[in-house]
């Protein structure tokens, strides 16, 4: 439930001591999401084949869809680059922010051991709370 700008700002600042270029890449991606730069432009540049690109691409997707896990995952999974890495990162960030309930029911209904996974998610939330 944390503010998405705070989350993405923390990611940028966490990267800065280790890689200023990565921090700048995250900042630019978030700025492009905010100014309406089309996904084709940003996600063609940040294809995610290198970790720092995947992190920045995920930040872009999260900034575009801070309250819509479904839209974020679909956009990330349909990028021209390393889409599974970008979708995993964006999904992890938004999943932590929005909770397991943000996943469309149709997507998880047929997953093997769904109820066991839901129970584990509920336990994790209880531990954090």
């Amino acid at each position: 439930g944390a503010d998405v700008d705070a989350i993405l700002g923390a990611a940028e600042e966490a990267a800065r001591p280790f890689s200023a270029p990565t921090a700048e890449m995250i900042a630019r991606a978030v700025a492009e999401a905010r100014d309406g730069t089309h996904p084709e432009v940003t996600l063609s540049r940040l294809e995610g084949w290198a970790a720092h690109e995947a992190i920045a691409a995920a930040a872009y997707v999260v900034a575009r869809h801070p309250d819509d896990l479904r839209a974020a995952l679909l956009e990330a999974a349909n990028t021209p680059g390393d889409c599974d890495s970008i979708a995993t990162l964006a999904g992890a960030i938004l999943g932590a922010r929005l909770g397991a309930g943000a996943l469309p029911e149709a997507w998880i209904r047929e997953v093997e051991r769904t109820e066991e996974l839901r129970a584990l998610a509920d336990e994790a939330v209880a531990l954090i709370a």
Side-chain angles (χ1 to χ4, degrees), residues 8 12 16 27 48 59-60 71 121 129:
L8 296 175
E12 177 188 339
R16 192 164 302 287
Y60 173 82

Side-chain angles (χ1 to χ4, degrees), residues 59-93:
Y60 173 82
V61 171
V62 168
R64 280 180 40 83
H65 306 285
D67 299 311
D68 190 345
L69 182 57
R70 180 184 182 281
L73 289 174
L74 287 173
E75 183 168 273
N78 287 288
T79 65
D82 190 6
C83 57
D84 60 322
S85 295
I86 297 166
T88 297
L89 291 164
I93 293 167

Side-chain angles (χ1 to χ4, degrees), residues 14-68:
R16 192 164 302 287
F18 302 100
S19 174
T22 299
E24 294 307 315
M25 196 177 288
I26 294 168
R28 179 179 175 190
V30 171
E32 288 179 358
R34 298 287 182 241
D35 73 17
T37 300
H38 195 275
E40 188 173 298
V41 172
T42 301
L43 296 174
S44 291
R45 186 183 77 253
L46 299 172
E47 290 188 337
W49 298 114
H52 60 284
E53 286 182 3
I55 293 166
Y60 173 82
V61 171
V62 168
R64 280 180 40 83
H65 306 285
D67 299 311
D68 190 345

Side-chain angles (χ1 to χ4, degrees), residues 93-113:
I93 293 167
L94 286 178
R97 180 173 185 273
L98 302 173
L103 285 168
E105 183 63 31
W107 287 9
I108 59 177
R109 185 176 318 128
E110 300 299 321
V111 173
E112 185 177 331
R113 300 168 70 183

